[in-house]
Amino acid sequence: MGHTPFLVAMERLNDPSDSDPDKTLHKLNFHNQRLEQLNHFHDHSDQIKKIIGLYMGKNKQLFKKRVGEFLAEDQGNSVEPQDLNASLYRFISFVFLPFVRHGEVNHIVNGFTGLTIKLHSPEFSDFIGKLISSGFLGALQLDCLKIYPEIYKTEMPMRPALYLDLVPNYEIEKIASRVSTRDFSSYKDLYKDIAEVFSRQLVLVAGINNIIHRGDCNSFKVVDGGSLSSLQNFSKKTLSQKFKYLDDCWYHFEGEIVNIEVRNAIAHNNVQYDEITQEITYYPNGGELEQAPGQKMYFLDFMRLILVLFREMHNLHHLIKCLFNYEFLFRNKT
């Protein structure tokens, strides 16, 4: 009783045995700053959604104008693709800063940029050319952008999940569950939608991985006695199946990014929710004649799943940016 996510985080941070109180103070100051940012951006969430919508529309000048006004930074008059993307990702990085790990994103983006330069070759150039000409990369970018406005709709129940960034060795179902008056149904489809976008982003990861290891984006390792013949076939695999084809992957995934069982249960509507206890019961094998016992998690744990998966989607969204930059600034110039 009374062990809310905030109080548990504060209790862990104020551990008398902690030998580095300055580090604790830094974490608290960082989190307070993050909450202030959330308060500010939430008040402007409708404006954020409109600006993202302008990027997806035809009036690119208006998009750049609105970004400049929001950021209080002149974005210039150029509507060249590379300049539009620069404004887009500057805006996205700024307004979604409270939800991500800024240092981690910077490190990853620098790695993406260096990798595209290192991989420059006819094989890599052809891979990017196919992504562009097929429309896959552009459509994937737009699907990512559709997710971002939805994240600010989760801002209130997401705050307790953000507290858990401060909790070392956070374990599922170990912290008080009651975190919001909103219903689970308001957010369950968001997790499924982010998982779908992430699954498609893995096509980029796989193509690059194949070039690194075998010099061909369509060349996969042998799995269970056979191998995939093309990236197209990889794209048709389920999310859980895709990971096994990423051998010695160049991109490191931290822990379990997606809870496949929760995602599948939501997709097939095999989920029950107790509004009183905020306990979620999901049935990964729902629909079978003999129903297996359900698995349980709290609403707080589910919001944490959304946060973790969103961060990974956001990181890989920057890979899309880097691949576009390779196309605009490098591939077409050589």
Side-chain angles (χ1 to χ4, degrees), residues 131-191:
L131 291 175
I132 300 289
S133 62
S134 67
F136 180 84
L137 197 63
L140 184 56
Q141 181 191 52
L142 296 184
D143 286 341
C144 290
L145 292 177
K146 292 173 184 176
I147 296 295
Y148 283 99
E150 300 303 313
I151 293 299
Y152 268 108
K153 292 182 181 179
T154 74
E155 177 264 348
M156 189 56 67
M158 192 71 81
R159 289 183 182 227
L162 287 169
Y163 287 138
L164 299 181
D165 282 342
L166 308 179
V167 178
N169 303 317
Y170 158 67
E171 294 182 67
I172 194 169
E173 296 186 0
K174 298 297 184 183
I175 296 178
S177 60
R178 188 113 191 126
V179 299
S180 172
T181 58
R182 296 294 298 272
D183 192 277
F184 164 71
S185 61
S186 303
Y187 307 108
K188 64 182 178 69
D189 285 340
L190 177 59
Y191 188 65

Side-chain angles (χ1 to χ4, degrees), residues 215-328:
D216 182 350
C217 68
N218 290 306
S219 180
F220 287 87
K221 76 166 185 175
V222 175
V223 175
D224 299 329
S227 64
L228 295 175
S229 60
S230 69
L231 204 57
Q232 173 69 13
N233 287 339
F234 175 83
S235 70
K236 297 176 183 178
K237 293 292 183 180
T238 64
L239 178 53
S240 59
Q241 291 175 325
K242 284 177 177 176
F243 284 105
K244 66 183 180 180
Y245 290 99
L246 302 177
D247 55 313
D248 191 20
C249 191
W250 64 274
Y251 184 80
H252 180 64
F253 297 100
E254 290 285 349
E256 185 182 45
I257 300 302
V258 187
N259 187 316
I260 301 295
E261 292 184 338
V262 172
R263 182 263 173 211
N264 290 344
I266 292 173
H268 295 97
N269 200 30
N270 294 317
V271 184
Q272 296 174 354
Y273 180 64
D274 188 320
E275 295 182 3
I276 304 301
T277 63
Q278 291 199 336
E279 193 173 53
I280 300 164
T281 305
Y282 58 98
Y283 301 88
N285 299 315
E288 295 182 356
L289 183 60
E290 295 185 8
Q291 181 76 291
Q295 301 183 39
K296 297 181 183 295
M297 68 165 44
Y298 287 119
F299 182 55
L300 168 62
D301 298 314
F302 179 72
M303 295 309 299
R304 185 70 183 179
L305 290 181
I306 292 179
L307 177 62
V308 168
L309 183 55
F310 169 73
R311 285 173 171 169
E312 203 63 54
M313 187 214 80
H314 176 75
N315 290 346
L316 289 175
H317 188 205
H318 280 284
L319 175 60
I320 296 173
K321 173 191 71 175
C322 290
L323 296 183
F324 269 124
N325 283 344
Y326 177 85
E327 169 72 11
F328 300 144

